[in-house]
Amino acid sequence: ACDDKVRSAIKLHCTDAVEWMRQCALQESGIEFDIIFIDADKDNYVQYYDLAMGNTGLRPLLAKNGTILADNTLSALVYDEDDSR
């Protein structure tokens, strides 16, 4: 069982992540994150990073001095060039 403070701090969003992040970034005084953990479809990692950092012309979602954790960022180095994954 989660502590009540932790349970109320975590919100699950089941939707398109790029669009959700874009909508958050459009809100001028919206939420910002101390930590952003990216573990999603690898094809969109650059978009997730750009939205987190504010490289899209929208406000950044990552707080000043925040941290981005990105899962499997080196996995492409172990794939065979002919691997279509």
Side-chain angles (χ1 to χ4, degrees):
C2 288
D3 178 85
D4 285 340
K5 289 181 183 179
V6 173
R7 184 178 307 129
S8 65
I10 297 171
K11 293 185 173 81
L12 180 62
H13 300 274
C14 296
T15 190
D16 179 276
V18 171
E19 185 55 32
W20 183 84
M21 290 176 75
R22 205 174 271 131
Q23 290 302 315
C24 288
L26 285 168
Q27 300 169 13
E28 286 187 34
S29 59
I31 191 168
E32 63 179 20
F33 301 92
D34 295 320
I35 297 174
I36 294 178
F37 178 55
I38 302 171
D39 183 13
D41 58 309
K42 307 309 177 235
D43 293 338
N44 285 316
Y45 263 44
V46 171
Q47 287 187 72
Y48 302 133
Y49 176 81
D50 285 343
L51 285 161
M53 298 300 294
N55 297 339
T56 62
L58 302 175
R59 71 171 185 84
L61 297 176
L62 187 66
K64 184 176 179 179
N65 298 317
T67 300
I68 294 176
L69 305 170
D71 189 45
N72 297 324
T73 54
L74 300 177
S75 64
L77 297 177
V78 298
Y79 290 152
D80 181 28
E81 282 185 24
D82 296 327
D83 189 340
S84 62
R85 288 185 278 173

